[in-house]
Amino acid sequence: MVKSEKKYLVGLVCPEALSAIEADPMHPVFLDIEACNALEIRYDFFDEKVWPELSARVRKVAPHAMQIGTVRLVRDGGKFPDKDAYSRIPLWSKILGESEVPEWLDLEQDCLYDFKNLKSIADLRKTRILVSQHNFLRIPNQQELEDFARDCLRVKADGLKIAAMSNSENDCERLYKFTRIHAHEFELFAAFGMGETGKASRIWSLKEGANLTYASIGHAQAPGQIDVASSEKALKNLENLNSPFETLGFIQKF
């Protein structure tokens, strides 16, 4: 698998943002969407009736952006009921049955029982799968991180994402080490900390070898998430940043 050398800034598409730009192409949200070279369609934020049409609607307002389709469960910070996790395959089938579909789908690590079935329908549309893990309590220890990478490699996932709560200044060092070891094994790779002490990692992880980070369009959807405008400035200045501390100082200027 060849890892993309391109760095992806992912903005989250929610109903409010999509409706705003569809109603007014000059709406301020346009600048955020233009700044993102990838967009995460959060299907769980939308009514299920419109899911099949969302990729085409997003493609129309942002033809330049790679799409990551996500049906996030409540336990992972989303709105789709945990008890209905097993029912997502038919819903993904409807999404992938349309003329426009996301280039990527996001599946949580604890739902890998669905990976084979999801891949079988995704392959028909050349849609790849990113396996994600969200930990809102702590950053996993090194063995837990290695186990996560092993799980992703075992099922031959094309991408890996981990977002975990940072509780101290040096907490993200484990994620940086994890990135240096495993980023080259996946086409898309994200590993960053949430919370205030994890802010810098959302940018610095890209210096360590990750090629995917997430930013907010409008209000933050995750603890410590940085807005698109600040993230874009930091990415443009990435080669001049020399440490997580310096990165945090740069972000805080905006």
Side-chain angles (χ1 to χ4, degrees):
M1 185 180 298
V2 179
K3 177 171 170 285
S4 172
E5 294 302 316
K6 188 174 183 178
K7 305 295 186 183
Y8 289 97
L9 176 60
V10 187
L12 183 151
V13 178
C14 64
E16 295 77 17
L18 184 55
S19 296
I21 195 169
E22 285 178 328
D24 177 11
M26 299 306 293
H27 190 281
V29 77
F30 170 80
L31 296 177
D32 280 350
I33 288 178
E34 279 293 293
C36 296
N37 54 5
L39 293 169
E40 181 182 37
I41 303 176
R42 284 295 299 272
Y43 287 93
D44 53 298
F45 285 172
F46 292 82
D47 189 297
E48 285 181 26
K49 291 183 295 187
V50 304
W51 285 14
E53 68 189 43
L54 286 178
S55 179
R57 288 171 61 186
V58 173
R59 195 81 66 195
K60 185 175 181 179
V61 299
H64 67 285
M66 178 182 76
Q67 295 180 5
I68 302 173
T70 302
V71 182
R72 184 71 68 225
L73 300 173
V74 171
R75 63 177 177 247
D76 289 300
K79 292 190 175 182
F80 197 79
D82 295 342
K83 64 180 179 62
D84 295 332
Y86 288 93
S87 71
R88 288 183 296 176
I89 290 294
L91 296 171
W92 273 314
S93 293
K94 289 182 180 179
I95 291 169
L96 293 172
E98 296 297 309
S99 57
E100 287 288 347
V101 299
E103 288 87 351
W104 289 82
L105 294 179
D106 181 319
L107 179 69
E108 302 87 353
Q109 180 194 12
D110 58 1
C111 292
L112 282 179
Y113 51 78
D114 268 340
F115 187 91
K116 185 176 180 180
N117 288 334
L118 181 58
K119 182 171 174 55
S120 68
I121 58 175
D123 281 352
L124 296 175
R125 301 306 305 272
K126 297 183 179 179
T127 294
R128 286 153 291 177
I129 301 175
L130 172 80
V131 174
S132 63
Q133 180 188 128
H134 303 84
N135 190 321
F136 292 94
L137 297 177
R138 62 180 178 85
I139 291 177
N141 62 42
Q142 212 64 48
Q143 185 57 57
E144 290 169 326
L145 291 171
E146 289 299 318
D147 289 344
F148 177 38
R150 182 198 61 208
D151 282 351
C152 294
L153 292 168
R154 173 176 55 83
V155 298
K156 299 182 180 179
D158 294 298
L160 178 155
K161 171 196 173 186
I162 178 168
M165 185 63 69
S166 172
N167 295 298
S168 68
E169 294 298 330
N170 298 315
D171 227 5
C172 293
E173 290 298 326
R174 290 194 299 282
L175 292 177
Y176 300 147
K177 179 180 179 181
F178 178 64
T179 299
R180 291 192 294 269
I181 294 172
H182 292 288
H184 71 281
E185 298 171 321
F186 299 91
E187 186 175 345
L188 291 183
F189 189 96
F192 54 82
M194 294 185 283
E196 285 303 308
T197 57
K199 270 189 174 181
S201 71
R202 291 177 177 271
I203 302 299
W204 186 255
S205 61
L206 302 176
K207 290 279 279 194
E208 297 286 3
N211 62 357
L212 189 69
T213 192
Y214 292 69
S216 64
I217 296 176
H219 64 279
Q221 297 289 343
Q225 194 172 56
I226 308 166
D227 63 90
V228 166
S230 299
S231 298
E232 182 189 28
K233 290 183 178 72
L235 288 181
K236 287 181 176 178
N237 196 57
L238 192 61
E239 64 179 26
N240 298 317
L241 300 175
N242 298 300
S243 70
F245 178 78
E246 189 176 317
T247 300
L248 181 61
F250 185 87
I251 294 167
Q252 289 175 335
K253 291 193 296 186
F254 305 105

